[in-house]
Amino acid sequence: MRIEDLPQEVMDTVMGGLQHYMIPILALPAQEEKASPDSHPIGGTGTLVKIDRAHYILTAAHVWHLVRKFKHMLLGLNDQPFAFTIPPERLNPKVLSDTFSPEWGPDLALLEIAHDDDEKISAYKNFLDLSRQRHEFGEHPSNIETGLWAVTGMVHAFSAIEHDHEAKSQ
């Protein structure tokens, strides 16, 4: 079944459940760095996950490779858009795959979050407990033919910012 074939009610239910764990991730140049007039934030999405006692952002490896070069990552937290910033050096990355070709498999990175940062994030968002999920799946395996598994992320797209220089001079 293709995603386009799913009823809107199912899509709304899935997105309603996922919103508690998903976060937008942006990286902006540091203030002391000169940004061109055409520069715009670099970003992607992540899923907040917990494995045993450690807390992570699960994202695409290519997102990590882009945002780690900047001074701060900005995380969107519910009605507080980009209220939380974290320097990439405070994260402990575990790149699971550096494969950038869709035909060769996943492009994943687990970014371990320091304890004091995960407490701040937890005030706004939930962490999906993958250890508990694995245990529950082992005890009660879902029927893969009738169950629904969702893997989400932001579709990679390029955009251009056009400046209307005439409007500024009027």
Side-chain angles (χ1 to χ4, degrees):
M1 175 181 276
R2 298 175 318 155
I3 196 164
E4 295 87 10
D5 299 332
L6 290 173
Q8 187 60 44
E9 182 179 304
V10 172
M11 292 299 295
D12 292 344
T13 301
V14 169
M15 291 310 295
L18 291 175
Q19 73 178 346
H20 303 290
Y21 310 106
M22 287 180 53
I23 55 167
I25 302 169
L26 290 180
L28 296 170
Q31 289 182 350
E32 59 271 11
E33 296 173 11
K34 293 286 185 189
S36 75
D38 295 326
S39 67
H40 54 278
I42 292 175
T45 57
T47 303
L48 298 170
V49 297
K50 178 181 174 185
I51 302 171
D52 297 325
R53 292 187 202 140
H55 293 79
Y56 301 89
I57 299 169
L58 175 62
T59 190
H62 69 268
V63 170
W64 169 244
H65 290 306
L66 289 171
V67 299
R68 72 179 180 185
K69 299 173 188 173
F70 292 85
K71 188 170 183 169
H72 290 327
M73 292 172 41
L74 291 85
L75 306 179
L77 303 175
N78 292 346
D79 61 346
Q80 305 292 318
F82 308 108
F84 188 75
T85 62
I86 186 168
E89 63 268 10
R90 283 188 53 89
L91 299 170
N92 181 18
K94 293 171 179 53
V95 177
L96 305 177
S97 173
D98 278 325
T99 303
F100 296 113
S101 171
E103 64 189 347
W104 293 107
D107 168 28
L108 297 173
L110 271 174
L111 311 177
E112 188 172 1
I113 303 168
H115 179 67
D116 54 333
D117 291 329
D118 76 52
E119 286 183 336
K120 293 172 189 170
I121 294 170
S122 294
Y124 299 96
K125 287 286 196 175
N126 296 321
F127 286 82
L128 181 62
D129 190 337
L130 295 183
S131 299
R132 190 182 80 206
Q133 296 276 325
R134 181 176 64 185
H135 176 75
E136 289 175 2
F137 184 77
E139 288 189 357
H140 308 287
S142 298
N143 184 337
I144 214 126
E145 292 183 23
T146 59
L148 177 65
W149 287 69
V151 177
T152 65
M154 186 182 304
V155 176
H156 178 70
F158 291 101
S159 62
I161 299 174
E162 295 181 16
H163 298 281
D164 186 351
H165 296 288
E166 241 178 75
K168 289 181 183 176
S169 63
Q170 293 178 355

